[in-house]
Amino acid sequence: MACESAHQYLPVHILTKQDSKCQRTHNISVLRHKRTLKSIFINMSAMPLQPIGLAPSSSSPFADQGHDGMRFKLLTLNCWGLKFISKFREERMHHIANTIAAAEVDIVALQECWVESDFQYMKQKCRHKFPYSKLFYSGIIAGPGLVVLSRFPIESVSMTPYTINGRPSAFFRGDWFVGKGVASAIIRHPASGIAIEIFNTHMHAPYGPGDASYVCHRTAQAWQLARQIRAAIERGHLALAVGDFNSKPDSLTYALLTKRAGLQDSWTTVHGASREGIPAESLSPAEQIETLGVTCDSQLNTWRNWCELSKAQRLDYIFHEPHLSTVEDIEVAFVERVPGVNVSASDHFGVIASLRVLPTAAHKVRTGLEQVSEARKSIGLPLADYEQIMNTIQEYLPTANAQKFYRTLHFFVSIGLLVALHIGIFWVKKGWGGFIMMLAATLIGVTGVTDGMMGFLFGRNELRALKQFQEEVLWEMEFTDQQTTLSSGTSASSADAKCV
C-alpha cells in the first residue's frame, strides 16, 4: 500500500528501483493468492454436493441463545385487523406487536393484518427480535393480510393466490377482493441447516349454511395447498402449514392436509386424537381451550362471548412434517385481554408450538430419495374422501351455473330496458319525468354491465377452475384405485405362493 500510494500519481518513466522492488513484491503476493485459491477449489471439488433442503452446518449465534439448537417455537394468530370495522384495532394490534416482541418464539405467522401501518408498527417494534419480516401482497383491496416474522434468515418468499376463492358479487364479504392465498417463506434453520418452508394461509370463511358455507371453495383451496406442500416435501424441506383454515378437524380441508399432504396436526401430535370426540358443550370455556384447543367462538373471547358452548371450535392450526420434525409442546395463546381497553386481542385465539428438528432429519434430506420415499408412504386419501370431494363439487356446480346464467341474463335484459327508456323519453314532457327516466337508465346500464362482466368473465373462469379441480381429483382417485387393486393382487399372489 505504501508503494502504491508513493507512485500512483507519477508518470511511468519516473519509476525508480524501489518501484520495481514493489512490483516484484506485488507479483509474489498475487502468485501466493492464486495458489491459495487453487487449493480451495481442489478441496471444494472433493466435497459432496448438498441437496437444496440442507445447508452446510456451521456455528450460529442462534444456537447459543438459551435453548436447544434443534428446537424452535412458532406462533400463529389471526389478528382481526379490518380497517374501519374491527373495534379497538390500533390498541389491539399494538398489544399484539408488544407481546410478540417480548415472546420467546422464533417464527411468527399472522393473518388479517390488513392495514400496512399496523405491519410497519409491528416490524419496527420487533426489529431487534425478528430482523426478517414480510407482508405479502395480492388481491384488489387490502391484500391477503398475511405476515411472517422470523429470527432466522428468510431465503425466499412467494405468494400464490387461490384459484377458487369466493365471488366478486359477495362484495360485502370481501374474500374475493382481498385475494386470499398461500404465503410461502423458506427459512433456514441455523443449527440443523434444514430449510423450513412456512405455508401461511387464511382460507375462505363460512358465512352460514348451504351456499354461504363455501365448503367447496375451502376444499379446493386445501387441495391446492396440499399440492404445494407435497412439492416442498419432495424438495427436502421441513413443511409447516399454519394459519386460520376456517375448518374443523372433521372437515375435508383437514383430511387433505393430513392425508394427501402428509402433515400432522401439532395439537393431536401432543395430545392425541381421542380428545376430538369430546363434546364442546360438556366442558367449561377454560376446559375447552385446555382440552380441545379451541381458538374461535369461545365464551372467554370478548368478541364472541355470546356464542353457545357447543359452538366453540378449533379453526387455527400448526401442521408439521412428521418425518423431519416432532412437536414437544403446544398451547393456545393470546387468551389474555388487552390492558386499558379490557377486550380480547382478536376474535380468534392464537396457537404456539415448540417443535424439534429430528436428529435424523439432516441424513434424510442429504440422501434425498430416501426421504421422499418415506414421506410418500403417508400420502394418499381413502377412496371415500375422494368421493366426498366429488360430491362437494357436484353440489356446488348448480350454484356456479346459476350465478353465471342469471347475471348474463340480467345483462341482456338491461339492454332491452335501456333501449325502451331511451325511446320512451321522447314522449315524456319536460320536468321530473325525463330526469327519473334518465336516472333509471343509468342505474340499469351500470348494474347490467357489472353483472354482465361477472357472468361472462368471472362465471366462466369459476366454472373452468371447478372443472380443472374436478378432473384433478378424478385423475388421482382413479390412480389410487389402480394402485390399491395392484397392491391387493400382489398381496394375494404372495399369499398363494406361500401356501404352495
Side-chain angles (χ1 to χ4, degrees), residues 73 267 271 329-333 350-354:
K73 284 190 174 183
W267 185 267
H271 300 291
D329 190 28
I330 187 169
E331 60 183 354
V332 178
V351 181
I352 183 169
S354 178

Side-chain angles (χ1 to χ4, degrees), residues 74 107 109 148 183-187 196-200 238 240-242:
L74 189 151
I107 302 171
V148 172
S184 169
I186 299 176
I187 300 171
I196 302 172
E197 187 158 2
I198 302 291
F199 294 97
N200 184 15
L238 197 171
L240 299 171
V242 303

Side-chain angles (χ1 to χ4, degrees), residues 47-110:
M47 293 174 61
L49 292 175
Q50 301 283 358
I52 191 170
L54 186 68
S57 59
S58 60
S59 59
S60 168
F62 299 109
D64 301 323
Q65 294 191 359
H67 66 274
D68 189 334
M70 301 298 281
R71 183 186 297 117
F72 63 97
K73 284 190 174 183
L74 189 151
L75 166 70
T76 179
L77 173 68
N78 180 323
C79 299
W80 193 43
L82 286 163
K83 193 171 186 178
F84 306 125
I85 296 175
S86 301
K87 296 180 180 179
F88 299 107
R89 193 201 82 246
E90 288 190 3
E91 292 88 345
R92 292 186 298 100
M93 294 298 290
H94 288 185
H95 169 75
I96 291 170
N98 296 338
T99 304
I100 290 173
E104 291 300 323
V105 294
D106 302 297
I107 302 171
V108 178
L110 303 176

Side-chain angles (χ1 to χ4, degrees), residues 347-416:
D347 61 347
H348 282 239
F349 295 139
V351 181
I352 183 169
S354 178
L355 298 101
R356 177 186 288 274
V357 179
L358 293 175
T360 57
H363 172 71
K364 288 180 178 179
V365 173
R366 189 175 288 110
T367 55
L369 291 176
E370 177 187 342
Q371 188 270 339
V372 172
S373 176
E374 184 177 355
R376 280 179 172 167
K377 291 178 183 176
S378 61
I379 292 176
L381 286 172
L383 289 177
D385 287 342
Y386 286 116
E387 291 172 357
Q388 189 178 352
I389 294 173
M390 294 296 288
N391 291 335
T392 302
I393 299 172
Q394 289 297 329
E395 289 173 2
Y396 180 73
L397 277 174
T399 300
N401 280 304
Q403 287 279 332
K404 175 181 176 296
F405 174 77
Y406 286 112
R407 295 188 184 283
T408 306
L409 178 64
H410 178 203
F411 171 73
F412 286 111
V413 170
S414 65
I415 292 177

Side-chain angles (χ1 to χ4, degrees), residues 281-299:
E281 58 270 21
S282 67
L283 303 173
S284 68
E287 290 172 336
Q288 289 177 339
I289 293 172
E290 184 178 353
T291 306
L292 302 179
V294 164
T295 60
C296 188
D297 295 337
S298 169
Q299 290 186 358

Side-chain angles (χ1 to χ4, degrees), residues 135-156:
L135 171 66
F136 294 83
Y137 296 91
S138 179
I140 300 171
I141 301 173
L146 301 174
V147 171
V148 172
L149 308 171
S150 175
R151 293 178 61 236
F152 309 141
I154 298 178
E155 296 185 350
S156 175

Side-chain angles (χ1 to χ4, degrees), residues 225-279:
L225 174 57
R227 183 171 59 245
Q228 290 184 251
I229 292 168
R230 287 175 64 170
I233 291 174
E234 292 177 6
R235 289 195 298 271
H237 292 181
L238 197 171
L240 299 171
V242 303
D244 177 6
F245 293 84
N246 277 312
S247 304
K248 297 180 181 180
D250 60 352
S251 64
L252 280 173
T253 298
Y254 188 95
L256 284 165
L257 293 170
T258 54
K259 297 175 185 177
R260 185 172 187 258
L263 301 186
Q264 280 186 4
D265 177 4
S266 295
W267 185 267
T268 58
T269 300
V270 175
H271 300 291
S274 59
R275 295 186 177 188
E276 300 298 334
I278 301 175

